[in-house]
Amino acid sequence: MKERIKREKRYRRHKRVRAKIYGTSKVPRLCVFRSNKHIYAQLVDDENGKTIATANDQKLKLKSKKEKSASVKATASKEKKIARKVAIAYEVGKLIAEKALKNKIEKVIFDRGGYKYHGRVKAVAEGARKGGLKF
């Protein structure tokens, strides 16, 4: 029962956020979804109803384990020993920024998806900023 109520509250918050923001082909919406295990980010063009680029932590796992663990450890050590999930979310933000820059997109609108701007959601945003995106 509590989980259903929490989900409904997040959905209501998300609708409020979405009523105020709108992505275009030049300035797409960077939306974030987090589950208990994974984190996802995508660039969405709301005018055409198309997803421009996607990134998630599972795509990071496709890299060799040495590269991934080294990058997560480096991020964690730089950011004062932050949690592993937060470090992975930071890397997802950098990955989505890299894909956006390949598509010649420099500016985005951040859609936090009804979540608080804290923890993993904040880490995705900071990683995207570090990767070169402007909010």
Side-chain angles (χ1 to χ4, degrees), residues 13-85:
R13 281 192 307 269
H14 185 60
K15 284 190 345 187
R16 269 197 313 268
V17 170
R18 284 285 290 122
K20 297 173 188 171
I21 61 174
Y22 189 77
T24 63
S25 57
K26 292 184 180 181
V27 184
R29 178 171 52 96
L30 171 62
C31 53
V32 176
F33 174 76
R34 68 174 170 85
S35 68
N36 286 336
K37 288 186 178 181
H38 302 290
I39 187 120
Y40 306 86
Q42 60 183 3
L43 295 173
V44 178
D45 173 11
D46 291 319
E47 286 180 335
N48 300 319
K50 303 246 179 183
T51 301
I52 299 168
T54 64
N56 61 51
D57 59 343
Q58 294 166 331
K59 288 186 181 179
L60 287 175
K61 292 177 185 176
L62 295 178
K63 291 182 178 180
S64 71
K65 289 189 177 184
K66 278 188 176 180
E67 287 178 22
K68 180 189 160 206
S69 63
S71 66
V72 169
K73 284 180 184 175
T75 304
S77 65
K78 286 180 187 175
E79 302 296 326
K80 298 180 184 177
K81 304 289 183 186
I82 55 179
R84 182 171 166 74
K85 283 185 182 180

Side-chain angles (χ1 to χ4, degrees), residues 74-125:
T75 304
S77 65
K78 286 180 187 175
E79 302 296 326
K80 298 180 184 177
K81 304 289 183 186
I82 55 179
R84 182 171 166 74
K85 283 185 182 180
V86 176
I88 290 171
Y90 185 82
E91 294 297 320
V92 169
K94 286 169 63 174
L95 181 63
I96 194 73
E98 179 184 312
K99 289 184 178 188
L101 293 176
K102 280 184 185 176
N103 288 326
K104 298 176 183 171
I105 296 168
E106 293 179 2
K107 191 173 180 183
V108 295
I109 298 170
F110 188 68
D111 176 10
R112 60 188 173 86
Y115 304 109
K116 290 181 180 179
Y117 186 77
H118 179 63
R120 290 191 285 160
V121 175
K122 183 177 179 182
V124 171

